[in-house]
Amino acid sequence: EALRYTKELFANYILFVLISTILVSLQCSLWLQFFGYFPAPQLWILTLAYWIINRRPVEGLIMTYIISILATSLTAMPLEIMLLINISLYIIGLTVKQRIYWSGPTYYIFVCGIGTLLFPVLHLAFSFFLESNPISDFEFFDWILSSLLTALVALPVYTIYSWIDSLTNKELPTETGSSIYE
């Protein structure tokens, strides 16, 4: 029984990392090839938001590190800034989850929207304070369009992520972050 649980847990984590790799690759590489400079949805935020909602904090932070490494390997953003932004998004997401929570895909889309709206603001702020050559422009149209596209993609991704959790018998925590059986 314990071996089967460990295999299912490992399979769950591996599937999420593989899908996150595919999503980050779609955003950072293929999007430019197909759509040029049209604003891309922030696809790694979809995984981050799911893990904020449906995982314990330790698991979520591990996935935050993995997502940060995946995303920076395909972007020009330094790992330190990406990690700082993603950890900030994770903390903000957990705070929102403790204050406001409802179950289902609409809450997931809500958390994705918050993360996508905050990402460029945090990037601008951290760049200003931490980099010798900070970002000087803020693309308002790109910011709004990217947020809308991320919210649009969130529903099918939520369905896939929920299916993976049911396939691997992943026990989801309650809204307080603890297991049902603890």
Side-chain angles (χ1 to χ4, degrees), residues 24 27-28 44 68-79 82:
V24 170
Q27 175 192 340
C28 296
W44 80 86
S68 298
I69 292 169
L70 286 173
T72 50
S73 67
L74 295 170
T75 65
M77 187 182 300
L79 177 61
M82 178 66 85

Side-chain angles (χ1 to χ4, degrees), residues 26-48:
L26 285 172
Q27 175 192 340
C28 296
S29 298
L30 292 178
W31 187 271
L32 187 64
Q33 299 299 319
F34 291 122
F35 301 108
Y37 292 104
F38 193 76
Q42 306 293 332
L43 297 178
W44 80 86
I45 291 177
L46 300 175
T47 305
L48 184 65

Side-chain angles (χ1 to χ4, degrees), residues 16-178:
F16 270 94
V17 170
L18 287 174
I19 290 177
S20 296
T21 304
I22 291 167
L23 289 174
V24 170
S25 298
L26 285 172
Q27 175 192 340
C28 296
S29 298
L30 292 178
W31 187 271
L32 187 64
Q33 299 299 319
F34 291 122
F35 301 108
Y37 292 104
F38 193 76
Q42 306 293 332
L43 297 178
W44 80 86
I45 291 177
L46 300 175
T47 305
L48 184 65
Y50 192 84
W51 281 62
I52 289 169
I53 298 168
N54 295 309
R55 297 296 188 270
R56 292 174 186 86
V58 171
E59 293 174 304
L61 282 175
I62 291 170
M63 184 56 81
T64 301
Y65 279 93
I66 292 170
I67 290 170
S68 298
I69 292 169
L70 286 173
T72 50
S73 67
L74 295 170
T75 65
M77 187 182 300
L79 177 61
E80 298 82 11
I81 298 289
M82 178 66 85
L83 191 57
L84 188 59
I85 292 169
N86 283 343
I87 289 174
S88 298
L89 289 175
Y90 189 81
I91 291 168
I92 292 167
L94 279 180
T95 305
V96 168
K97 180 182 169 185
Q98 290 174 351
R99 305 270 186 242
I100 305 168
Y101 181 81
W102 67 89
S103 59
T106 54
Y107 184 73
Y108 172 70
I109 294 169
F110 170 71
V111 173
C112 290
I114 288 172
T116 308
L117 285 171
L118 287 176
F119 177 79
V121 175
L122 290 172
H123 187 198
L124 191 68
F126 290 142
S127 173
F128 180 76
F129 288 112
L130 299 174
E131 293 183 331
S132 59
N133 189 15
I135 298 171
S136 60
D137 60 338
F138 188 77
E139 306 275 338
F140 182 77
F141 176 74
D142 291 357
W143 176 49
I144 298 299
L145 200 53
S146 178
S147 299
L148 292 173
L149 288 172
T150 304
L152 184 65
V153 176
L155 187 59
V157 171
Y158 178 82
T159 306
I160 293 168
Y161 285 167
S162 297
W163 177 76
I164 289 171
D165 279 346
S166 67
L167 181 71
T168 58
N169 296 317
K170 177 66 177 158
E171 179 186 329
L172 301 179
T174 62
E175 59 273 5
T176 60
S178 61

